[in-house]
Amino acid sequence: MELKTYEKLVSDENRARKYVLGITLKNHQRFCPRCLCRKLYVLAGGRRRCSSCRYTFSEFAGRWINRSNLSCADWLRVVKLFELELSTRKIAKQAGLSYKTAYRAVTILRLAIMSQAQDARELLGLEVEMDESYFGGRRKGKRGRGAAGKVPVFGILERDGRAFVQVVPDVTANTLVGMAVKKVRRGSIVYTDKYSAYDSLMFCGYRHLSVDHSKRFSRGKVYINGMEGFWSWAKERIIKHHGVSPERFPLYLKELEFRYNNREEDIFPLLVSYISMLVPNVG
Ligand SMILES: [Zn+2]
């Protein structure tokens, strides 16, 4: 979104609210957040009552945006500053919020991004690179696979396309190939390094080509430079957050996946649409 359009939006709460509501109620369809019924009674103050389950709710009920009591204009400010990759401290300062409030808002944003990522059912395919890497840990641990105190992350990257990254409990063949099968279309060409965990890919319906790093030469298209580029891009960004705890790390990882996959998009309206989604029911 252009800065001028954005400035106009946040200068007026009514305008900001209209913008967010427009994205929330695509095609002007309202529904009950509990039972998804569309037959609603209008009550005072913009509230609605469901004709089927009788639930009474306000405009943003059950949605991520409602998990914080920020005004719509403040939400849009946070989204804009988040888009620009500012630290939480700077977001708080720029938006005139307390650190706690800003922290809560960016966490909600990251949760909404993560929830969208998990809903994505589309498979990656054609030509993909796969690799694992280790994040975190202050000192350099043991070299190679299984470095102590570090978080193993598995990554799949379509050549010139989308990325998928996920924290994994270990880097065994079971875990890595198991995840590959869930995320990559059969018949695809898969490039990896010589790590033996990937050997069974050829038995799972893939054309598996591996590159030997020790030789330093890649044969034609057999390389995993894309994935290696992604790792250094991701690590550079994680470092900016100065020590992300292992518990919160998956959230940051999914944020990076989102940023990478939408690198050609205007992510402002996209992020607004994410926070206006219903919070999935977990139990
Ligand atoms: Zn209902």
Side-chain angles (χ1 to χ4, degrees):
M1 173 175 289
E2 280 173 33
L3 199 58
K4 271 207 164 147
T5 320
Y6 160 79
E7 277 172 353
K8 215 174 160 191
L9 265 184
V10 295
S11 66
D12 178 71
E13 174 62 16
N14 273 334
R15 208 173 275 148
R17 190 175 182 82
K18 226 176 149 185
Y19 175 77
V20 178
L21 207 56
I23 289 179
T24 308
L25 310 169
K26 275 177 216 136
N27 312 321
H28 307 288
Q29 287 178 321
R30 290 174 192 262
F31 55 85
C32 166
R34 282 220 178 133
C35 72
L36 308 182
C37 170
R38 291 190 185 279
K39 199 174 168 224
L40 311 168
Y41 304 114
V42 183
L43 305 178
R47 286 155 64 85
R48 300 282 193 283
R49 177 171 291 143
C50 174
S51 68
S52 150
C53 76
R54 317 299 297 170
Y55 180 52
T56 304
F57 56 94
S58 56
E59 279 161 331
F60 299 119
R63 300 171 189 276
W64 291 107
I65 191 168
N66 214 30
R67 295 222 155 174
S68 148
N69 49 19
L70 286 181
S71 68
C72 287
D74 276 339
W75 255 121
L76 294 182
R77 284 190 190 100
V78 170
V79 168
K80 188 72 193 166
L81 298 165
F82 181 86
E83 177 193 353
L84 300 173
E85 297 191 74
L86 262 66
S87 69
T88 308
R89 214 162 282 285
K90 282 184 182 152
I91 290 176
K93 194 160 180 257
Q94 296 285 326
L97 303 168
S98 72
Y99 178 79
K100 212 176 141 191
T101 306
Y103 182 78
R104 189 175 165 81
V106 294
T107 302
I108 292 167
L109 261 172
R110 289 196 173 97
L111 285 167
I113 290 172
M114 192 176 209
S115 151
Q116 277 301 110
Q118 276 158 354
D119 286 347
R121 289 274 169 269
E122 237 179 300
L123 294 178
L124 306 175
L126 290 180
E127 278 190 281
V128 304
E129 298 179 19
M130 274 179 206
D131 194 22
E132 354 74 54
S133 188
Y134 291 86
F135 282 72
R138 274 175 196 279
R139 271 171 289 160
K140 284 201 170 163
K142 280 183 291 172
R143 289 194 65 193
R145 319 213 186 223
K150 300 193 174 218
V151 183
V153 177
F154 178 53
I156 307 171
L157 186 85
E158 281 177 320
R159 292 254 164 107
D160 303 316
R162 296 159 297 170
F164 165 81
V165 279
Q166 178 89 44
V167 174
V168 283
D170 54 60
V171 293
T172 60
N174 223 358
T175 301
L176 301 187
V177 175
M179 200 162 271
V181 167
K182 270 189 225 149
K183 290 306 295 183
V184 183
R185 205 176 303 135
R186 301 293 191 283
S188 299
I189 303 171
V190 180
Y191 301 95
T192 69
D193 59 16
K194 287 279 184 202
Y195 182 37
S196 60
Y198 296 118
D199 288 350
S200 57
L201 279 169
M202 59 178 291
F203 304 115
C204 303
Y206 301 110
R207 212 177 133 213
H208 178 215
L209 297 168
S210 60
V211 54
D212 192 347
H213 283 307
S214 63
K215 287 196 179 135
R216 292 202 55 142
F217 294 106
S218 47
R219 297 172 282 130
K221 287 172 93 178
V222 186
Y223 54 80
I224 51 167
N225 298 349
M227 204 60 240
E228 281 160 6
F230 179 90
W231 295 135
S232 45
W233 175 86
K235 282 172 188 179
E236 219 172 86
R237 275 167 174 76
I238 288 280
I239 284 168
K240 280 195 213 161
H241 294 291
H242 305 294
V244 175
S245 69
E247 299 77 50
R248 298 182 51 84
F249 174 68
L251 275 182
Y252 287 79
L253 193 65
K254 282 294 164 188
E255 175 197 336
L256 292 175
E257 180 190 285
F258 165 81
R259 286 190 190 277
Y260 185 86
N261 290 343
N262 295 289
R263 60 199 181 278
E264 317 266 345
E265 308 282 322
D266 179 3
I267 65 169
F268 183 84
L270 205 53
L271 286 168
V272 175
S273 80
Y274 283 13
I275 55 168
S276 70
M277 298 272 180
L278 286 176
V279 179
N281 251 327
V282 275

